[in-house]
Amino acid sequence: MINEDILKFTEFLDYYYSDYAKPSCEISLPSPRDDDYNANRVPLVTSDYIMLDFDSMCKDANFYPKKNRDECNQPATADAIYYRVINEDNLELSLVEFKNFNFNWDMKKDYNASVQKVKKRLMECGLNKSSKKGLMRLESIKRTYGSTIEFSLKLKPYESLFVVLPKLYEEYCREKNIDMELNFYNFFQSDLCTIKFFVVGKRPVNDLTRAYNGKLGNLLEKQYRRLDFVNILTPHPQRLCFEGEFDEYTRNLKVHEKDNLKSLNYR
């Protein structure tokens, strides 16, 4: 028999299936707020493995700030979520973030290089004192931009697990008129739960070494180890992966779906 807390948690996520279950490829489509968005959107992945559109679940929730002036208070969430009950006492919960920029991205070598070209051209124009102050501001914006991408990715597993899911659970319990019996922090730290986080990026045309060892592949991995240390996230080979690797991983999940006692796609 499946552990009672695991069963309660899966029933909570199952509640959102009819409205938010979508193929991974659909969830991976660039959104209008993405930097590389255009009218001819192409999914990052081709997988049709069903997951919950976690971003939409969050935005439709009552607690989510709806007005623009509250934008700074909107939580950073992963794009998708799904679960598998591996055995009676172990739930595998996965959070997935689809990033539609190239995994080669490196703030110092790419973004900074572009800004340096702009700065050099401006300096050649003979700037006055006021313009030089503006140039210093440009340098500050450059640093902030790079840090914002990185910081957002750091926050997503934290806020998805400890802000959004508990708030969604509160609303779920109110709507079902049931007692709130799950302490998510204790549940996520217990041996009952294995949590995986995936960041899926575009495979570079060349220079795979740089892609693996660059800012996303190296610095972010170090940040996620903080959650490893307190038994929240579980390290795994696909944590930072390319779209083809993710497609292969989910194809394997689909083949072995019935090996699970229960899952989002096998209930």
Side-chain angles (χ1 to χ4, degrees), residues 2-35:
I2 297 175
N3 176 277
E4 185 177 359
D5 284 346
I6 291 177
L7 196 58
K8 288 175 182 175
F9 185 80
T10 60
E11 288 172 348
F12 154 58
L13 289 185
D14 290 345
Y15 177 75
Y16 294 93
Y17 188 92
S18 59
D19 291 327
Y20 298 102
K22 298 177 183 177
S24 303
C25 55
E26 184 177 338
I27 301 175
S28 77
L29 281 165
S31 70
R33 61 188 177 179
D34 290 337
D35 293 331

Side-chain angles (χ1 to χ4, degrees), residues 71-127:
E71 187 174 355
C72 62
N73 290 322
Q74 293 171 352
T77 56
D79 292 322
I81 187 170
Y82 71 97
Y83 74 82
R84 299 189 302 147
V85 179
I86 308 300
N87 59 51
E88 294 177 347
D89 296 308
N90 184 238
L91 167 84
E92 181 182 280
L93 178 67
S94 294
L95 301 168
V96 183
E97 179 67 15
F98 298 108
K99 300 311 297 182
N100 280 281
F101 54 75
N102 197 304
F103 238 60
N104 261 355
W105 183 78
D106 183 293
M107 184 177 67
K108 292 182 179 179
K109 294 183 180 179
D110 294 330
Y111 182 75
N112 281 14
S114 299
V115 175
Q116 284 300 120
K117 290 179 183 178
V118 175
K119 286 177 61 181
K120 183 178 179 181
R121 180 64 61 87
L122 290 174
M123 291 298 291
E124 291 171 353
C125 295
L127 301 178

Side-chain angles (χ1 to χ4, degrees), residues 124-151:
E124 291 171 353
C125 295
L127 301 178
N128 58 29
K129 187 175 181 180
S130 176
S131 297
K132 287 181 179 178
K133 286 184 178 179
L135 198 59
M136 291 174 63
R137 177 61 180 155
L138 180 62
E139 178 69 27
S140 175
I141 291 171
K142 176 191 68 176
R143 291 194 301 269
T144 302
Y145 176 85
S147 297
T148 299
I149 295 173
E150 174 195 319
F151 187 64

Side-chain angles (χ1 to χ4, degrees), residues 20-238:
Y20 298 102
K22 298 177 183 177
S24 303
C25 55
E26 184 177 338
I27 301 175
S28 77
L29 281 165
S31 70
R33 61 188 177 179
D34 290 337
D35 293 331
D36 58 356
Y37 175 79
N38 62 65
N40 300 315
R41 298 189 301 164
V42 177
L44 175 62
V45 301
T46 61
S47 172
D48 62 355
Y49 190 75
I50 300 296
M51 300 182 180
L52 293 177
D53 184 344
F54 196 46
D55 255 350
S56 296
M57 284 170 58
C58 178
K59 288 169 189 170
D60 292 344
N62 293 327
F63 77 88
Y64 190 83
K66 301 298 192 294
K67 297 181 180 179
N68 289 337
R69 67 172 180 267
D70 295 327
E71 187 174 355
C72 62
N73 290 322
Q74 293 171 352
T77 56
D79 292 322
I81 187 170
Y82 71 97
Y83 74 82
R84 299 189 302 147
V85 179
I86 308 300
N87 59 51
E88 294 177 347
D89 296 308
N90 184 238
L91 167 84
E92 181 182 280
L93 178 67
S94 294
L95 301 168
V96 183
E97 179 67 15
F98 298 108
K99 300 311 297 182
N100 280 281
F101 54 75
N102 197 304
F103 238 60
N104 261 355
W105 183 78
D106 183 293
M107 184 177 67
K108 292 182 179 179
K109 294 183 180 179
D110 294 330
Y111 182 75
N112 281 14
S114 299
V115 175
Q116 284 300 120
K117 290 179 183 178
V118 175
K119 286 177 61 181
K120 183 178 179 181
R121 180 64 61 87
L122 290 174
M123 291 298 291
E124 291 171 353
C125 295
L127 301 178
N128 58 29
K129 187 175 181 180
S130 176
S131 297
K132 287 181 179 178
K133 286 184 178 179
L135 198 59
M136 291 174 63
R137 177 61 180 155
L138 180 62
E139 178 69 27
S140 175
I141 291 171
K142 176 191 68 176
R143 291 194 301 269
T144 302
Y145 176 85
S147 297
T148 299
I149 295 173
E150 174 195 319
F151 187 64
S152 172
L153 285 172
K154 289 181 196 175
L155 278 180
K156 286 178 184 286
Y158 293 90
E159 297 206 348
S160 295
L161 293 169
F162 301 116
V163 177
V164 174
L165 279 173
K167 293 298 291 183
L168 285 172
Y169 183 63
E170 284 182 23
E171 293 187 11
Y172 161 78
C173 289
R174 282 198 299 269
E175 290 173 16
K176 298 284 286 183
N177 194 27
I178 58 177
D179 293 333
M180 290 181 55
E181 298 179 346
L182 274 178
N183 181 311
F184 277 41
Y185 184 78
N186 291 341
F187 179 65
F188 291 151
Q189 277 202 308
S190 73
D191 293 335
L192 296 173
C193 198
T194 298
I195 302 175
K196 293 184 175 182
F197 184 57
F198 297 77
V199 178
V200 186
K202 292 181 182 177
R203 185 182 181 91
V205 177
N206 49 35
D207 205 351
L208 289 179
T209 301
R210 180 185 165 199
Y212 279 114
N213 296 328
K215 194 173 186 66
L216 283 177
N218 188 20
L219 195 149
L220 278 175
E221 178 65 18
K222 291 179 181 178
Q223 298 301 328
Y224 295 141
R225 285 178 199 157
R226 298 179 185 181
L227 287 176
D228 300 342
F229 292 150
V230 290
N231 298 321
I232 300 298
L233 291 183
T234 299
H236 62 99
Q238 292 84 21

